[in-house]
């Protein structure tokens, strides 16, 4: 199985900060990475697919990059509504696997 | 508007069975792969099962293989998860999610095994 390792597991930042979350895959997964956002008590929502494709309606302050085994989610200017847990997920092969999540809080 | 609505979650005893449903609307259901993903209380996301649009290809997580069966009824725009031999470790909110990109999710249905 492909392991997805996210870092950090938690993060505290101020409104307006640039925030970066990393995800490392245990093998080359090409660009088949999703980034999902989950707010407390809510279902996850897709932010970015195929490493860098922003889903329609997602604010442009979110972006994704990377290749092979190293991937990054960036929030260019943190907003209060971005408080959530973020997950990376690979879908290059079964079983699909998720990172353990990064809990983002406001400082 | 794409809408996914799960149902069927309940409190069940260990060793019991349960069938979850996911009603889909707002898109051509038969054209899309579908998945079940679960989340145990206070834990992260765990992919459970996948089914191709035609229903002829299915995959399962090792943790549920042999106990859970995914199926779909394209005429009724519905996805199912038949669960048997349930254990306390299966306690979770179960979500259905569309496509390999998991681009749309339902609100989930809670399964409690106790």
């Amino acid at each position: 199985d492909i392991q997805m390792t996210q870092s950090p597991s938690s993060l505290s930042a101020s409104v307006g900060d640039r925030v970066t979350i990393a995800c490392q895959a245990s093998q080359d997964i090409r660009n088949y990475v999703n980034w999902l956002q989950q707010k407390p008590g809510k279902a996850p929502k897709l932010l970015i697919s195929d490493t860098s494709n922003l889903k329609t309606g997602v604010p442009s302050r979110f972006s994704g990059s990377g290749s092979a085994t190293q991937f990054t989610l960036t929030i260019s200017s943190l907003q209060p509504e971005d408080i959530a847990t973020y997950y990376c997920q690979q879908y290059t092969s079964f079983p699909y696997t998720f990172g353990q999540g990064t809990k983002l809080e406001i400082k | 508007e794409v809408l996914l609505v799960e149902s069927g979650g309940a409190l069940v005893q260990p060793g019991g069975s349960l069938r979850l449903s996911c009603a889909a609307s707002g898109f051509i259901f038969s054209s899309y792969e579908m998945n079940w993903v679960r989340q145990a209380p206070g834990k992260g996301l765990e992919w459970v099962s996948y089914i191709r649009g035609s229903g002829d290809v299915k995959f399962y997580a090792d943790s549920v293989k042999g106990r859970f069966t995914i199926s779909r009824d394209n005429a009724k725009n519905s996805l199912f998860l038949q669960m048997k031999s349930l254990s306390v470790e299966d306690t979770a909110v179960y979500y259905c999610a569309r496509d390999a990109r998991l681009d749309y999710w339902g609100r989930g249905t809670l399964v409690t095994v106790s």
Side-chain angles (χ1 to χ4, degrees):
Chain A
D1 298 359
I2 298 173
Q3 307 302 315
M4 303 293 282
T5 304
Q6 276 182 245
S7 60
S9 55
S10 64
L11 176 58
S12 182
S14 300
V15 172
D17 282 355
R18 182 181 182 87
V19 171
T20 299
I21 299 170
C23 184
Q24 180 173 345
S26 60
Q27 63 189 72
D28 186 348
I29 56 173
R30 295 177 281 175
N31 70 329
Y32 294 122
V33 169
N34 284 331
W35 287 97
L36 300 129
Q37 176 194 64
Q38 187 177 32
K39 296 184 178 181
K42 301 292 186 181
K45 289 185 176 180
L46 177 68
L47 296 177
I48 290 169
S49 63
D50 299 330
T51 298
S52 59
N53 289 338
L54 201 66
K55 184 182 177 183
T56 301
V58 174
S60 59
R61 62 181 180 272
F62 291 93
S63 64
S65 62
S67 63
T69 62
Q70 302 286 345
F71 301 90
T72 300
L73 172 69
T74 300
I75 307 172
S76 61
S77 178
L78 185 66
Q79 299 302 304
E81 60 267 31
D82 299 335
I83 298 314
T85 299
Y86 293 84
Y87 295 92
C88 60
Q89 178 247 339
Q90 67 80 20
Y91 54 102
T92 194
S93 66
F94 292 99
Y96 292 164
T97 46
F98 293 88
Q100 78 276 21
T102 296
K103 188 174 183 179
L104 179 56
E105 298 175 331
I106 293 287
K107 192 181 293 183
Chain B
E1 177 195 8
V2 173
L3 195 60
L4 299 170
V5 180
E6 302 92 340
S7 61
L11 171 63
V12 60
Q13 292 184 340
S17 298
L18 208 56
R19 189 193 196 209
L20 306 182
S21 300
C22 171
S25 60
F27 63 102
I28 302 173
F29 182 66
S30 59
S31 296
Y32 284 85
E33 308 156 307
M34 295 294 297
N35 297 271
W36 287 99
V37 177
R38 68 183 180 182
Q39 186 170 37
K43 302 298 184 182
L45 300 171
E46 179 188 15
W47 172 81
V48 172
S49 186
Y50 159 99
I51 187 168
R52 190 176 285 180
S54 56
D56 59 341
V57 176
K58 306 173 184 181
F59 292 97
Y60 299 93
D62 284 346
S63 57
V64 307
K65 200 172 294 182
R67 300 187 300 120
F68 289 13
T69 302
I70 192 171
S71 63
R72 63 193 297 160
D73 184 339
N74 286 341
K76 295 183 177 179
N77 293 340
S78 294
L79 175 72
F80 305 102
L81 188 67
Q82 179 68 49
M83 306 185 294
K84 65 179 184 180
S85 302
L86 286 162
S87 70
V88 294
E89 289 76 27
D90 296 314
T91 293
V93 175
Y94 285 73
Y95 298 99
C96 60
R98 191 183 81 163
D99 196 67
R101 292 169 178 78
L102 307 181
D103 57 355
Y104 288 94
W105 295 60
R107 297 177 70 174
T109 188
L110 176 62
V111 173
T112 303
V113 185
S114 178

